[in-house]
Amino acid sequence: MTHPRIAHPGLATRRVDAAQAAEWIQPGMAVGMSGFTGAGYPKAVPQALAARMEAARERGEPFALRVLTGASTAPELDGALARAGGIDFRLPYQSDPELRARINRGEIEYMDIHLGHVAQYAWFGFLGPIDVAVIEVAGILPDGRLIPSTSVGNNKTWLDLADKVIVEVNHCQPLGLDGMHDIYYGTALPPARRPIPLLQPGDRIGEPYLRVDPDRIVAVVETNAPDRLGSFAPPDETSKAIAANLVEFFRHEIRAGRLSEQLLPLQSGVGNIANAVLAGLQDGGFSGLTAFTEVIQDGMLDLIESGVITMASATALSLSPPAVERFVANIGLFRERIVLRPQEMSNHAELVRRLGCIAMNGMVEADIYGNVNSTHVAGSTIINGIGGSGDFARNGFLSCFVTPSTAKGGAISTIVPMVSHVDHNEHDVDVIVTEQGLADLRGMSPKQRARAVIANCAHPDYRDALQDYFDRALAGSAGRHTPHLLGEALSWHQRYLDTGSMRG
Amino acid sequence: MTHPRIAHPGLATRRVDAAQAAEWIQPGMAVGMSGFTGAGYPKAVPQALAARMEAARERGEPFALRVLTGASTAPELDGALARAGGIDFRLPYQSDPELRARINRGEIEYMDIHLGHVAQYAWFGFLGPIDVAVIEVAGILPDGRLIPSTSVGNNKTWLDLADKVIVEVNHCQPLGLDGMHDIYYGTALPPARRPIPLLQPGDRIGEPYLRVDPDRIVAVVETNAPDRLGSFAPPDETSKAIAANLVEFFRHEIRAGRLSEQLLPLQSGVGNIANAVLAGLQDGGFSGLTAFTEVIQDGMLDLIESGVITMASATALSLSPPAVERFVANIGLFRERIVLRPQEMSNHAELVRRLGCIAMNGMVEADIYGNVNSTHVAGSTIINGIGGSGDFARNGFLSCFVTPSTAKGGAISTIVPMVSHVDHNEHDVDVIVTEQGLADLRGMSPKQRARAVIANCAHPDYRDALQDYFDRALAGSAGRHTPHLLGEALSWHQRYLDTGSMRG
């Protein structure tokens, strides 16, 4: 066989180059793309599309799309399309600097939506029709089914709903991925929905391949490029302190009988602090853990390899280049311990609630009353989006949010009188952790929470000012359930905008 | 039989008066009480307890409790205990004026928590031990099982967890309630949880009675008093206009193929506007509807009686005195069409998501970007609490929030630049309805939402000022994803506090 990755004879004849494939996409279309936290995004068609957009712009013809993905992609997709002025509307999570800058200049309409809601919103018809799907896969089976790539994301939904499908077959993705995925085809629209028969993180309830009618595949593009993921910094002292505080809390909960030694399925957000927390579990003597999460990053791969985590469910493998090497070298082990699912399942309210996930997510800031901002700087500038944090914080067993107590070299306190944007409200936040300490907010009123957050989480440089705000609010607020001085509640953010620092 | 409602011989001997029963409750205890939106709360023991508290106070001895309920109760419980200074800590939803006043004076710690989370938080051990349960029932079976009263609420959980149980047998509650309830005993702690086998709102998955070990029942108190529920005002023009806007939207969704003529299971919040919306469905020619909701109020009883709603699931029957008469007169019909469940089930994320509920909830205010405040006046004064609105708004098919566009005779705009407290964030709000119109926010970015909310929902008296804020924010905000002027965002609320009006 000349094309072992494209085993369907008819589809092998539909191989074209990326520029030809991109011709299927017309201005104004809605395009569902693969990609989740930098894994499994199409590598070639978006760039060819960006070139068409640039050419159209030079001719004075507008060429922009509605772009829907799994989550964040990479410069080759979000960056290239944004730079070409080719995105009118984008959802959900994103992290590309160029895309973000244009969103914050008001040039692109961005809808931030729970990652666990995207697929059902599309099926409900709330997001409009999907014209084209552009999906990276690891290979095509003789019957036309697709071997998923390093992320599943919303690929099932885009493949099912799109009028036309463009498949990118990436020769760089390990064929050992074959069999790791579990695509659940038991979903339905209400009122025909039934229980999802998943009881443990590792349960396989679907099939390993993505179904698609080969007749709807209009182009097959071959690529050979790795997911472009950076390496992680080794945990710094702040991250290690945050991790140590959280691990000590888990130990405390075990001693109190509220958690077993195996804890409960872990969900871990993305980034350096999340990796540090996972490293803390590695060092903390835990074993027999499981994960039911969105993304497997380097830190979780370490825990799986060492046996600390015996089974991990996710929707994406977002690994740095050295971790990819380890993954490929040891793929037999990882295939037994990792299941990759559609994000509709990895983040499903029913499953997160049933399994009782321990949610651990980063944040931008928390206020003294335990409201959390995961997305905005100073109330108006979006960073990446809420991701799946809400799916897990609302429905899990325990909702933990972690952050260093300051940012920008101390110019920003991440503990503030009132958050400038709320993504997780007081009802959804159990535990706040900084390098200073941990505030356990379970069973507390707002005022009790304020005292715990100020005492345990705030940086000493800001602690007195927070206490002063709380004391004056308690004395002067119209109501004393959640004492606030409205004229001052957001003044720390305004001061930061005005002076570059929250310091008084 | 002299005591047909207390058929267990041993328990019949434990009959005492309320004062004797109240002796089982000591200062500092945590007491789980029945009661949900004014239905099924204990009528006698809390008042006897309040008398003990008053007497203790006169002796200079502090006597206060942690009080946990299903939701709001009545003056005989929350009012009496609050007035006696007998509540240190209270959760969840409450609506008694005396209790609310003391919470807002800072005298009582109140924890506002999703109604669907209370039971599992108690089971997880997050709320501490439950010392005594005080539960109203309609009767006791020969084997000691309890016939639930007009609400189930958290009664199963309090009965299971409390060291000691006090039962109030209310002779005033209709014995026809026997068989209407469905108490699910299949819950477990993670990792042992399994799918909840409910596929339709009317499915019976449990048993009609509450189990309890008779040996833990330390006192049985007989009462004969109705739930004290007020009557509803007939819908006014504003409520009718809100209802008409929402009903027209449902018609639009049916025409678009996104809803069937039977819609999807309805969840309806409490109060006059909710009743008006239900009346609007009655007049709108709908039939074959179902409800999966928390509370059956008068409006829903009408729809069940007329056959518009063929099956309704809830956790409480909160009926006005005339509606109670109709309920009793027609109990054969209602027993076939109503199932009362624990609030853990009526508000369960898994079930709300599976069934695809249409959530319709009132609110205090919304901001132009679609964030909703359900609980606080001017950011600091709590009204009643979030109730179950978050359980349904987050997990349902469609999340609708309704309110008149103004309050306090026009002094307050319920559409504001920035809400002063967030209970439902931009990710959880699909539709905002006022008497002015309806904003369909699905698939929109923040700026698109702002234009829709200002144009469709704001009162004309405030529309220009909102548009002016948005325009200036768009020009002057640090970021233009969610444009805000932080120094001004909460100024409408401050102006209201300062002048009694939001008008400039």
Side-chain angles (χ1 to χ4, degrees):
Chain A
M1 279 175 78
T2 50
H3 305 292
R5 289 201 183 223
I6 309 175
H8 184 279
L11 291 177
T13 69
R14 266 169 248 169
R15 281 177 299 141
V16 295
D17 66 23
Q20 289 172 288
E23 294 285 340
W24 289 98
I25 299 171
Q26 302 302 325
M29 281 186 168
V31 182
M33 304 244 192
S34 63
F36 195 105
T37 51
Y41 56 91
K43 308 292 188 290
V45 173
Q47 294 187 80
L49 194 53
R52 278 189 68 204
M53 290 164 166
E54 299 278 12
R57 186 164 58 178
E58 284 176 20
R59 293 194 305 272
E61 296 166 11
F63 191 151
L65 304 173
R66 293 170 60 81
V67 177
L68 303 87
T69 66
S72 55
T73 64
E76 295 95 316
L77 198 170
D78 278 323
L81 293 183
R83 195 167 287 110
I87 304 181
D88 266 346
F89 180 92
R90 173 73 167 77
L91 70 72
Y93 190 85
Q94 44 70 36
S95 69
D96 181 79
E98 180 69 27
L99 173 59
R100 180 195 298 131
R102 286 171 184 257
I103 291 169
N104 284 315
R105 289 205 300 267
E107 300 166 12
I108 294 174
E109 304 299 335
Y110 169 62
M111 181 187 183
D112 194 16
I113 169 173
H114 302 293
L115 292 182
H117 283 190
V118 180
Q120 73 167 2
Y121 265 49
W123 282 102
F124 291 166
F126 293 178
L127 302 177
I130 306 295
D131 298 296
V132 180
V134 183
I135 308 294
E136 176 179 288
V137 301
I140 303 177
L141 297 179
D143 62 6
R145 285 182 298 165
L146 307 174
I147 305 169
S149 175
T150 41
S151 71
V152 182
N154 288 313
N155 292 354
K156 170 186 170 293
T157 294
W158 305 150
L159 287 168
D160 284 348
L161 292 179
D163 291 335
K164 295 182 174 64
V165 174
I166 297 169
V167 171
E168 285 198 6
V169 178
N170 187 349
H171 290 266
C172 192
Q173 297 289 18
L175 272 178
L177 288 167
D178 186 352
M180 282 185 87
H181 308 87
D182 186 61
I183 315 297
Y184 181 61
Y185 278 94
T187 58
L189 291 178
R193 282 178 172 162
R194 302 185 62 83
I196 301 168
L198 185 145
L199 303 181
Q200 300 294 334
D203 284 356
R204 290 184 170 273
I205 60 175
E207 45 197 79
Y209 307 114
L210 289 159
R211 303 178 192 166
V212 62
D213 173 6
D215 291 344
R216 282 196 292 123
I217 299 182
V218 295
V220 175
V221 176
E222 292 178 276
T223 65
N224 195 341
D227 292 329
R228 189 204 288 213
L229 283 152
S231 294
F232 287 99
D236 60 13
E237 290 310 308
T238 300
S239 300
K240 285 182 185 171
I242 293 170
N245 290 335
L246 195 53
V247 169
E248 169 50 30
F249 174 72
F250 291 152
R251 285 277 167 223
H252 173 267
E253 291 299 294
I254 293 169
R255 289 193 297 272
R258 287 186 289 266
L259 279 172
S260 78
E261 290 280 348
Q262 286 70 48
L263 304 177
L264 281 166
L266 303 171
Q267 177 261 335
S268 172
V270 299
N272 284 318
I273 295 173
N275 260 322
V277 170
L278 294 172
L281 290 170
Q282 173 99 39
D283 301 338
F286 288 90
S287 65
L289 308 186
T290 60
F292 192 81
T293 190
E294 298 159 317
V295 181
I296 293 175
Q297 291 188 293
D298 291 21
M300 195 166 282
L301 201 77
D302 294 342
L303 266 63
I304 297 168
E305 197 161 25
S306 68
V308 173
I309 286 182
T310 56
M311 181 57 73
S313 165
T315 192
L317 274 173
S318 299
L319 303 175
S320 70
V324 168
E325 282 183 33
R326 279 167 43 218
F327 174 75
V328 172
N330 218 345
I331 203 158
L333 173 83
F334 291 118
R335 282 165 52 97
E336 288 172 11
R337 298 187 183 172
I338 295 174
V339 181
L340 297 178
R341 311 179 187 280
Q343 73 191 68
E344 190 180 7
M345 293 297 121
S346 65
N347 288 41
H348 200 292
E350 174 177 338
L351 303 183
V352 172
R353 168 88 173 228
R354 180 180 306 145
L355 296 174
C357 291
I358 296 177
M360 304 181 288
N361 289 289
M363 61 175 168
V364 176
E365 61 183 3
D367 66 30
I368 56 176
Y369 297 115
N371 301 285
V372 165
N373 168 14
S374 298
T375 57
H376 283 67
V377 174
S380 61
T381 302
I382 188 89
I383 305 175
N384 298 341
I386 192 170
S389 54
D391 298 316
F392 291 91
R394 172 68 62 88
N395 295 308
F397 173 82
L398 194 65
S399 163
C400 309
F401 286 91
V402 300
T403 181
S405 66
T406 60
K408 301 272 181 198
I412 289 177
S413 173
T414 59
I415 308 296
V416 292
M418 176 186 269
V419 287
S420 60
H421 185 88
V422 176
D423 294 289
H424 310 288
N425 57 42
E426 52 162 331
H427 320 285
D428 292 335
V429 178
D430 294 324
V431 173
I432 293 176
V433 196
T434 71
E435 83 287 358
Q436 300 294 322
L438 180 146
D440 175 3
L441 309 180
R442 294 173 298 173
M444 284 189 177
S445 74
K447 290 188 290 295
Q448 294 170 325
R449 291 197 292 262
R451 294 184 180 104
V453 169
I454 294 170
N456 297 332
C457 299
H459 190 279
D461 288 358
Y462 291 98
R463 195 177 292 148
D464 290 349
L466 289 166
Q467 186 66 46
D468 178 60
Y469 176 83
F470 178 63
D471 290 343
R472 288 184 295 113
L474 199 52
S477 177
R480 288 171 192 162
H481 175 60
T482 308
H484 264 307
L485 303 172
L486 293 184
E488 195 179 325
L490 298 172
S491 64
W492 292 33
H493 301 86
Q494 188 64 51
R495 190 181 309 129
Y496 169 72
L497 292 176
D498 294 341
T499 71
S501 174
M502 284 186 176
R503 293 178 199 277
Chain B
M1 278 176 80
T2 50
H3 305 292
R5 290 203 184 223
I6 309 175
H8 182 280
L11 291 177
T13 69
R14 266 167 249 169
R15 281 177 300 140
V16 295
D17 66 23
Q20 290 172 288
E23 295 284 339
W24 289 98
I25 298 171
Q26 303 303 325
M29 280 186 168
V31 183
M33 304 244 192
S34 64
F36 195 106
T37 50
Y41 56 91
K43 308 290 188 291
V45 173
Q47 293 187 81
L49 194 53
R52 280 188 69 203
M53 289 164 167
E54 299 277 12
R57 188 166 55 178
E58 284 176 18
R59 294 193 304 272
E61 296 167 10
F63 191 151
L65 304 172
R66 292 170 59 82
V67 177
L68 303 86
T69 66
S72 55
T73 64
E76 295 95 317
L77 197 170
D78 277 325
L81 294 183
R83 195 168 287 109
I87 304 181
D88 267 346
F89 179 92
R90 173 74 166 77
L91 69 74
Y93 190 86
Q94 43 71 37
S95 68
D96 182 79
E98 180 68 28
L99 174 59
R100 181 194 298 131
R102 287 172 185 258
I103 291 170
N104 284 316
R105 290 205 300 268
E107 298 167 12
I108 294 174
E109 304 299 336
Y110 168 61
M111 183 188 181
D112 193 16
I113 170 173
H114 302 293
L115 292 181
H117 283 190
V118 179
Q120 72 166 3
Y121 265 50
W123 283 102
F124 291 164
F126 293 178
L127 302 178
I130 307 295
D131 298 297
V132 180
V134 184
I135 308 293
E136 175 178 289
V137 302
I140 303 177
L141 297 180
D143 61 7
R145 286 181 297 165
L146 308 174
I147 304 170
S149 175
T150 41
S151 70
V152 183
N154 287 313
N155 293 354
K156 170 187 171 291
T157 294
W158 305 150
L159 287 168
D160 284 348
L161 292 179
D163 290 337
K164 296 183 173 62
V165 173
I166 298 169
V167 171
E168 285 197 5
V169 178
N170 188 348
H171 290 265
C172 193
Q173 298 289 18
L175 272 177
L177 288 168
D178 186 351
M180 283 185 87
H181 309 86
D182 185 62
I183 315 298
Y184 182 61
Y185 278 94
T187 57
L189 292 177
R193 283 179 172 163
R194 302 185 61 84
I196 302 167
L198 185 144
L199 303 180
Q200 301 294 333
D203 284 356
R204 290 185 169 274
I205 59 174
E207 46 198 77
Y209 307 115
L210 289 159
R211 304 177 190 168
V212 62
D213 173 7
D215 291 345
R216 283 195 293 124
I217 298 182
V218 294
V220 175
V221 178
E222 291 177 279
T223 66
N224 195 341
D227 292 329
R228 188 202 290 211
L229 283 152
S231 294
F232 287 99
D236 60 13
E237 291 310 309
T238 300
S239 299
K240 285 182 184 171
I242 292 169
N245 290 334
L246 195 53
V247 169
E248 168 50 29
F249 174 72
F250 292 153
R251 286 277 168 222
H252 173 265
E253 291 299 294
I254 293 169
R255 289 193 296 273
R258 288 186 288 264
L259 279 173
S260 79
E261 289 281 349
Q262 286 71 48
L263 303 178
L264 282 165
L266 301 172
Q267 177 260 336
S268 172
V270 300
N272 285 320
I273 295 174
N275 261 322
V277 170
L278 294 172
L281 290 171
Q282 173 99 38
D283 301 337
F286 287 90
S287 65
L289 307 186
T290 60
F292 192 82
T293 190
E294 297 158 319
V295 181
I296 292 174
Q297 291 188 293
D298 291 18
M300 197 166 282
L301 202 77
D302 295 340
L303 267 63
I304 297 168
E305 197 161 26
S306 68
V308 173
I309 286 182
T310 55
M311 181 56 74
S313 166
T315 192
L317 274 173
S318 298
L319 302 175
S320 70
V324 168
E325 283 182 33
R326 281 167 42 219
F327 174 76
V328 172
N330 219 347
I331 201 158
L333 174 82
F334 291 118
R335 281 164 53 95
E336 289 172 12
R337 299 186 184 174
I338 294 174
V339 181
L340 296 178
R341 311 177 186 282
Q343 72 192 69
E344 189 180 8
M345 292 297 121
S346 66
N347 289 41
H348 201 293
E350 174 177 337
L351 303 183
V352 173
R353 169 88 174 226
R354 181 180 305 146
L355 295 173
C357 291
I358 295 176
M360 303 182 288
N361 289 290
M363 61 174 170
V364 177
E365 60 183 3
D367 66 30
I368 55 176
Y369 298 115
N371 301 284
V372 165
N373 169 13
S374 296
T375 57
H376 283 67
V377 174
S380 61
T381 301
I382 188 91
I383 305 174
N384 298 342
I386 191 168
S389 54
D391 298 317
F392 291 91
R394 172 68 62 88
N395 295 309
F397 172 82
L398 194 64
S399 164
C400 309
F401 285 90
V402 300
T403 182
S405 66
T406 60
K408 302 272 181 199
I412 288 177
S413 173
T414 59
I415 308 296
V416 292
M418 177 186 267
V419 288
S420 60
H421 186 87
V422 176
D423 294 289
H424 309 287
N425 58 42
E426 51 161 333
H427 319 286
D428 292 337
V429 179
D430 293 325
V431 173
I432 293 177
V433 196
T434 71
E435 83 287 358
Q436 299 294 323
L438 180 147
D440 175 4
L441 309 180
R442 295 172 296 172
M444 283 188 176
S445 73
K447 291 188 291 293
Q448 293 171 325
R449 290 198 291 263
R451 294 185 180 104
V453 170
I454 295 170
N456 297 332
C457 300
H459 191 279
D461 288 358
Y462 290 98
R463 196 177 291 149
D464 290 349
L466 289 166
Q467 185 67 46
D468 177 59
Y469 176 83
F470 178 63
D471 291 342
R472 288 184 295 111
L474 198 53
S477 176
R480 288 173 191 161
H481 176 60
T482 308
H484 264 308
L485 303 172
L486 293 184
E488 194 178 327
L490 298 172
S491 64
W492 292 32
H493 302 86
Q494 188 63 51
R495 190 181 309 130
Y496 170 72
L497 292 175
D498 293 343
T499 71
S501 173
M502 284 185 177
R503 293 178 200 276

